[in-house]
């Protein structure tokens, strides 16, 4: 019997060693193919950090973080706070360096404040949500069921005690923070209705004996409030804020998300579900809910992607490898990291990289604007930014089919009729992305490093959104500025021809 047990132990030990070697070879291969062939592999310390996160599974219901080629550590220390202020890392990465403790007991609450963004990522433990104390629509309905519903019904209005924190037996019930705290660490900043500030202002500290829960959520959970939830640009700022909040608070796995708003579902929810472990609506819970660890994500309006439209954010995109070797406060790889996170969320390959002469030809993606129903107050008509878009597209089809330099595949980007995964895949596969100014171009956050952007800009919509995003991501960007909304197809073709020649085509 002892000999049999010894043999069994040896077999188990052999299998364990074999499995460990297999995992090592897999991750070694993964790290080497995830970077473009013309760049060095992911720096070893950063690969090890991601492997440690990936192997840490305290909650099996949570998705692990993927290994991202552009990942850089999200350090959080007071020592580098001064150097962080106003830097590109301060804007796009972990500028949340000032820790402010509001409560420490059985329950706890603290905020990480960014001097650069003038906002905070807050988190707490033993936090209870009472949905009956939040006035808003249920949320999560099908769009067709709520057509005509007013926006005000969808935005949350919090009563005192909508959220509570366990303060222990000796504490007196009171507000968690005062107005001085809110003005310092969660300022309104020109936002007319700051729902996250309102949420925090209504949090109460309660005695442990009064802290009763109908349901416990043990895993880390992001609490998110949204405004322009059906617009891709604004939703990407929400995704980015949620991603940054997860990294700033050092979550070892991807958290759950609870929408503390009453919006209906949209196609964009596909990406929320791809990025995070699960998505629920606050009013869909049947009773009080207690969170072992809750993270309050700042509004998308408070991200650099939005603030950069009205204040100078002088940052250039660079590779993580370059910044690892030569740190530069005026460069960032965070937008690339985030774009890879979106691609990884949909299971798209991160080892895809630009080829100067792709065998199947260069994809030129034309992002189209088309009519669709976006939200309950929408009539289904999209405002045209390029009045002769169909004519331009047909001209490009003829140009592409007769182009002699190389094979060109003109892709008709009818995004309103494509799943989110299909949209991101089309962006990833494109050598050139062209389109009139519109929210669909925000997808360029997921483009590959050498993708070229050509934006056609009506004189009625001269806004810098995509020029800035291209800059922050390090993409080559061109613009055709129109006098009105009509584009000369020949001008567009000449610009594209020059771009293709620059690609060796």
């Amino acid at each position: 019997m002892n000999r049999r047990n010894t043999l069994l132990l040896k077999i188990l030990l052999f299998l364990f060693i074999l499995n460990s070697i297999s995992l090592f070879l897999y991750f070694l291969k993964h790290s080497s193919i995830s970077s473009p062939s013309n760049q060095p592999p992911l720096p070893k310390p950063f690969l090890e950090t991601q492997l440690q996160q990936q192997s840490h599974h305290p909650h099996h219901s949570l998705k692990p973080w993927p290994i991202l080629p552009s990942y850089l550590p999200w350090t959080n220390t007071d020592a580098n706070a001064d150097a962080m202020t106003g830097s590109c890392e301060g804007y796009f990465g972990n500028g949340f360096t000032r820790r402010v403790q509001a409560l420490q007991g059985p329950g706890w609450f603290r905020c990480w404040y960014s001097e650069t963004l003038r906002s905070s990522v807050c988190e707490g433990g033993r936090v209870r949500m009472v949905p009956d104390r939040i006035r808003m629509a249920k949320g999560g309905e099908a769009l067709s069921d709520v057509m005509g519903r007013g926006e005000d019904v969808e935005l949350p209005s919090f009563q005192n005690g909508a959220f509570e924190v366990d303060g222990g037996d000796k504490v007196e019930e009171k507000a968690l923070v005062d107005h001085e705290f809110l003005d310092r660490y969660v300022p309104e900043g020109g936002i007319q209705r700051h729902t996250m500030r309102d949420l925090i202002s209504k949090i109460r500290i309660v005695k442990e004996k009064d802290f009763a829960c109908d349901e416990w959520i043990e895993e880390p959970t992001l609490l998110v409030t949204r405004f322009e939830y059906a617009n891709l640009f604004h939703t990407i700022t929400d995704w980015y804020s949620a991603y940054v909040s997860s990294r700033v608070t050092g979550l070892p796995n991807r958290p759950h998300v609870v929408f503390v708003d009453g919006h209906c579902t949209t196609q964009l929810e596909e990406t929320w579900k791809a990025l995070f472990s699960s998505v629920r609506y606050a009013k869909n819970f049947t009773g009080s809910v207690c969170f072992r660890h809750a993270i309050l994500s700042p509004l998308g309006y408070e991200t650099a992607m939005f603030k950069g439209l009205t204040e100078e954010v002088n940052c250039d995109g660079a590779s993580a490898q370059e910044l690892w070797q030569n740190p530069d406060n005026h460069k960032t790889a965070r937008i690339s990291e985030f774009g890879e996170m979106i691609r990884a969320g949909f299971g798209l390959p991160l080892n895809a990289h630009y080829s100067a002469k792709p065998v199947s030809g260069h994809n030129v993606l034309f992002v189209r604007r088309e009519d669709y129903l976006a939200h309950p107050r929408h009539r289904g008509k999209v405002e045209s930014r390029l009045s002769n878009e169909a004519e331009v597209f047909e001209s490009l089809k003829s140009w592409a089919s007769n182009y002699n330099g190389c094979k060109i595949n003109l892709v008709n980007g009818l995004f309103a009729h494509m799943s989110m995964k299909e949209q991101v895949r089309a962006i990833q596969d494109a050598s050139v992305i062209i389109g009139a100014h519109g929210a669909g171009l925000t997808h360029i956050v997921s483009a590959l490093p050498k993708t070229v952007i050509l934006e056609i800009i009506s004189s009625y919509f001269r806004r810098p959104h995509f020029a800035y995003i291209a800059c922050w991501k390090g993409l080559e960007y061109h613009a055709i500025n129109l006098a009105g909304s009509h584009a000369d197809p020949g001008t567009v073709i000449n610009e594209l021809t020059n771009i293709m020649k620059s690609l060796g085509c």
Side-chain angles (χ1 to χ4, degrees):
M1 189 69 178
N2 288 338
R3 292 179 61 186
R4 183 178 178 184
N5 289 341
T6 301
L7 179 61
L8 181 61
L9 182 62
K10 289 181 178 180
I11 292 173
L12 290 173
L13 182 60
F14 171 77
L15 291 174
F16 174 77
I17 294 172
L18 182 63
N19 183 59
S20 298
I21 294 173
S22 299
L23 283 172
F24 172 78
L25 292 175
Y26 168 78
F27 288 128
L28 182 66
K29 179 182 178 182
H30 187 95
S31 67
S32 64
I33 66 175
S34 294
S35 298
S37 57
N38 62 338
Q39 293 183 355
L42 192 67
K44 185 177 178 182
F46 305 162
L47 176 61
E48 289 175 348
T49 299
Q50 294 186 83
L51 289 176
Q52 289 169 3
Q53 291 175 334
Q54 195 175 66
S55 63
H56 184 189
H57 291 282
H59 305 293
H60 296 289
S61 64
L62 296 182
K63 299 176 186 176
W65 291 112
I67 296 174
L68 306 175
S70 294
Y71 174 89
L72 290 170
W74 290 73
T75 53
N76 195 332
T77 63
D78 290 331
N80 61 355
D82 291 338
M84 193 73 71
T85 302
S87 69
C88 292
E89 181 65 7
Y91 275 111
F92 293 102
N94 195 355
F96 299 88
T97 53
R98 182 168 182 181
R99 172 175 164 169
V100 186
Q101 197 77 29
L103 177 68
Q104 186 65 57
W108 54 274
F109 194 91
R110 62 178 172 237
C111 292
W112 300 94
Y113 180 70
S114 167
E115 295 285 353
T116 301
L117 294 174
R118 303 176 299 283
S119 68
S120 293
V121 173
C122 299
E123 59 179 331
R126 293 183 65 83
V127 175
R128 179 170 66 181
M129 178 178 72
V130 185
D132 288 344
R133 298 174 186 168
I134 307 173
R135 189 172 67 251
M136 63 185 179
K138 183 177 180 180
E141 309 94 342
L143 172 58
S144 58
D145 293 338
V146 293
M147 287 302 298
R149 184 168 69 185
E151 182 179 26
D152 197 59
V153 178
E154 298 180 346
L155 298 177
S157 177
F158 302 101
Q159 300 175 18
N160 284 327
F163 287 83
E164 297 173 332
V165 186
D166 180 3
D169 290 329
K170 298 181 180 179
V171 71
E172 289 186 17
E173 183 175 333
K174 62 178 181 178
L176 173 68
V177 298
D178 57 22
H179 285 288
E180 183 179 351
F181 181 100
L182 292 169
D183 290 342
R184 178 68 182 90
Y185 302 112
V186 196
E188 290 178 335
I191 300 171
Q192 292 183 351
R193 186 170 178 177
H194 199 308
T195 46
M196 190 55 71
R197 173 188 167 102
D198 189 32
L199 185 159
I200 295 172
S201 73
K202 302 298 171 49
I203 300 177
R204 305 285 296 177
I205 302 173
V206 298
K207 290 182 180 295
E208 188 171 11
K209 65 181 181 62
D210 298 323
F211 192 80
C213 309
D214 295 316
E215 180 179 348
W216 270 97
I217 295 182
E218 297 293 338
E219 302 90 352
T221 302
L222 282 173
L223 304 180
V224 176
T225 67
R226 304 165 296 161
F227 284 83
E228 299 174 67
Y229 65 102
N231 176 283
L232 180 63
F233 171 77
H234 290 286
T235 298
I236 281 186
T237 66
D238 287 331
W239 293 337
Y240 193 72
S241 182
Y243 176 69
V244 169
S245 298
S246 304
R247 292 301 200 178
V248 165
T249 51
L251 301 185
N253 298 282
R254 291 188 258 173
H256 300 298
V257 168
V258 170
F259 292 140
V260 189
D261 58 51
H263 300 307
C264 66
T265 58
T266 70
Q267 184 186 31
L268 300 178
E269 206 163 298
E270 288 179 43
T271 308
W272 281 107
K273 293 176 180 177
L275 288 173
F276 301 101
S277 289
S278 72
V279 172
R280 293 183 70 176
Y281 287 77
K283 279 285 194 178
N284 289 187
F285 291 96
T286 56
S288 62
V289 186
C290 290
F291 302 98
R292 193 70 64 185
H293 186 187
I295 302 96
L296 283 60
S297 180
L299 303 180
Y301 297 135
E302 299 177 285
T303 64
M305 293 181 71
F306 185 82
K307 288 194 170 188
L309 301 178
T310 55
E311 61 184 75
E312 286 193 26
V313 179
N314 295 318
C315 296
D316 294 320
S319 71
Q321 289 81 5
E322 176 186 338
L323 293 177
W324 162 243
Q325 294 168 352
N326 300 294
D328 189 332
N329 285 337
H330 300 290
K331 294 182 178 181
T332 182
R334 294 301 186 191
I335 300 296
S336 293
E337 177 185 334
F338 175 59
E340 290 165 1
M341 182 65 214
I342 294 174
R343 286 159 52 198
F346 284 117
L348 298 176
L350 296 183
N351 59 320
H353 57 85
Y354 174 83
S355 174
K357 294 184 178 180
V359 176
S360 59
H362 283 282
N363 282 9
V364 174
L365 171 64
F366 195 128
V367 178
R368 307 288 299 275
R369 287 179 64 81
E370 53 183 330
D371 294 339
Y372 72 104
L373 273 175
H375 54 76
R377 296 155 295 284
H378 194 242
R379 296 183 178 181
K381 289 290 183 181
V382 174
E383 187 175 11
S384 175
R385 307 288 172 83
L386 179 58
S387 58
N388 63 327
E389 182 180 288
E391 178 190 4
V392 172
F393 181 75
E394 289 302 318
S395 297
L396 291 179
K397 279 176 64 177
S398 177
W399 165 78
S401 62
N402 294 298
Y403 191 78
N404 294 322
C406 62
K407 179 175 172 55
I408 294 177
N409 308 308
L410 182 65
V411 180
N412 193 5
L414 296 172
F415 281 1
H417 291 87
M418 298 165 64
S419 70
M420 296 304 295
K421 181 176 182 177
E422 289 171 334
Q423 294 177 38
V424 175
R425 189 194 302 274
I427 292 289
Q428 175 182 273
D429 293 343
S431 298
V432 180
I433 299 171
I434 177 175
H437 181 92
L441 285 179
T442 321
H443 271 310
I444 64 176
V445 297
S446 298
L448 297 185
K450 292 190 178 181
T451 306
V452 181
I453 312 301
L454 174 58
E455 183 180 5
I456 303 173
I457 307 175
S458 161
S459 59
Y460 309 123
F461 297 96
R462 294 208 195 285
R463 298 169 185 167
H465 298 59
F466 311 114
Y468 286 165
I469 293 175
C471 177
W472 298 332
K473 189 172 166 62
L475 300 178
E476 183 180 333
Y477 173 87
H478 301 263
I480 298 175
N481 290 295
L482 306 179
S485 62
H486 183 279
D488 171 39
T491 300
V492 179
I493 288 172
N494 287 338
E495 189 70 33
L496 265 178
T497 299
N498 291 333
I499 290 172
M500 298 313 298
K501 288 180 178 178
S502 73
L503 297 178
C505 179

